[in-house]
Amino acid sequence: EIDHTILLGTERYFPVETVRHEHLVKNGRTRFCHWKGYGELYDVVAGNETVRDGAWCYPHPFWEATTAKGMFAFNDEHILIC
């Protein structure tokens, strides 16, 4: 269900229990946001297709973004969310 998502800036975050983890591969890369903190990047794999850094999660966000703790966002340029 998407009614439990949150919008932070331009990114929509999905609760961990709504994400199909079999399509996510943690790739060891990180991203930094000055108000969210350090995020862990995941490749999204479906069939023979891989979107590098297609998803991310902030396991320990800064105070301003604690509502997104442990939730996942996706690169909507390459991934269809449904």
Side-chain angles (χ1 to χ4, degrees):
E1 288 184 27
I2 62 168
D3 56 337
H4 290 99
T5 65
I6 61 168
L7 188 62
L8 287 178
T10 60
E11 299 170 342
R12 182 159 303 278
Y13 286 81
F14 295 82
V16 66
E17 64 273 5
T18 66
V19 175
R20 296 186 58 188
H21 295 271
E22 67 270 20
H23 295 288
L24 299 179
V25 178
K26 190 173 179 180
N27 64 24
R29 294 169 42 92
T30 59
R31 68 184 290 183
F32 178 76
C33 173
H34 70 279
W35 66 278
K36 293 178 201 162
Y38 289 93
E40 298 175 344
L41 294 170
Y42 292 76
D43 294 340
V44 179
V45 180
N48 293 329
E49 300 291 323
T50 299
V51 177
R52 185 173 186 196
D53 301 338
W56 53 90
C57 172
Y58 290 92
H60 308 289
F62 294 157
W63 180 86
E64 296 90 341
T66 55
T67 56
K69 182 176 182 174
M71 298 177 84
F72 283 87
F74 295 88
N75 179 339
D76 60 6
E77 291 180 27
H78 301 286
I79 298 170
L80 176 64
I81 308 286
C82 43

